[in-house]
Amino acid sequence: MHCSLLPLLVSLSPAILFLLPGIIVTQEGLWEDYKYGHGDQDNHNFCTWKCLLFTLQWPGTFCQSLNNVSLCRIPPTVNNWTIHGLWPLHAKNRCDCWPMFPSDVQELKAELTELWPSFVRFKSNFHFWREEWRKHGACAACVEGMNSPLRYFQVCIKLRAQFYIHSLLEDAGITPSCERPYKVEEVQSVLAPHVGDKLEIQCITDEQDRELWFQLKIRLNRNLTVGCDLCTDAEDALKVQPGSRPVPSPGHPCPDQVPFYYFPINHERPQRPCG
């Protein structure tokens, strides 16, 4: 398992000078390397994955994906699709050896709070972000441009702005509703020109056996262009070794032949937005 020394070294006393092969590095110098991602991006043997899943979640039906819906909350400021994560697929190494601290994303805190909130009562926003970095971001850090917590989350914010799903759907007349169901082909025809034809529209089934849309998975190449033909289906991507993959969600691809619902966000009753 490859593990960067920088996160470990920067946690030591600022008074210490570190002697590395051929160079002497101060604490301040190491911190700059750690924060902005220098010095560890050339280890290509570690960067075995080829594809990423950029996953967005819909707050209107997220609560139904929890085993205990009473744990769910939707902050009053959330009225749009939010980020779930950016996940390298088929990474062969566990990447949880690079710690993340609040200071790493302090300058992004306001944006992340809006675009990447936690909907679980006992899990703070930072807990959610740190969890996603540990499980997935540290594996993405082998790519220049994502090689620090700050840069990884900056990329996610830019992708969220690039894939402005709500407006694309709204312009096509696909809006949240408790009464009107939609078909997979309707949504695919609207989104595919913008997010690629390998998107996954993911549903959950509620207690009334209705299919509810709750996630959208966009497949990306390592350079963040849409597509990535080298990937297998998202379902197959979950079969890689434990600890190096996205955590399976309770969702499944929305059935092609069964209409699904795109429920509105209900801040007062997030567990039952449509009764």
Side-chain angles (χ1 to χ4, degrees), residues 19-20 33 49 129 139 201 210 228 236 239 265 272:
L19 182 63
L20 299 177
D33 279 350
W49 54 269
W129 306 334
C139 287
I201 301 166
R210 295 174 295 190
C228 198
D236 292 336
K239 296 177 182 178
I265 298 171
R272 294 183 178 273

Side-chain angles (χ1 to χ4, degrees), residues 78-129:
V78 173
N79 292 288
N80 212 317
W81 287 83
T82 61
I83 301 169
H84 186 171
L86 180 63
W87 307 331
L89 295 178
H90 302 289
K92 294 182 179 179
N93 297 283
R94 188 174 178 87
C95 312
D96 60 357
C97 54
W98 188 334
M100 174 180 161
F101 305 98
S103 58
D104 291 329
V105 292
Q106 182 60 39
E107 64 190 79
L108 303 177
K109 184 177 179 180
E111 290 177 280
L112 290 174
T113 298
E114 176 187 355
L115 302 176
W116 200 329
S118 169
F119 297 142
V120 181
R121 292 184 184 278
F122 62 82
K123 182 184 294 186
S124 69
N125 288 336
F126 178 74
H127 184 150
F128 186 20
W129 306 334

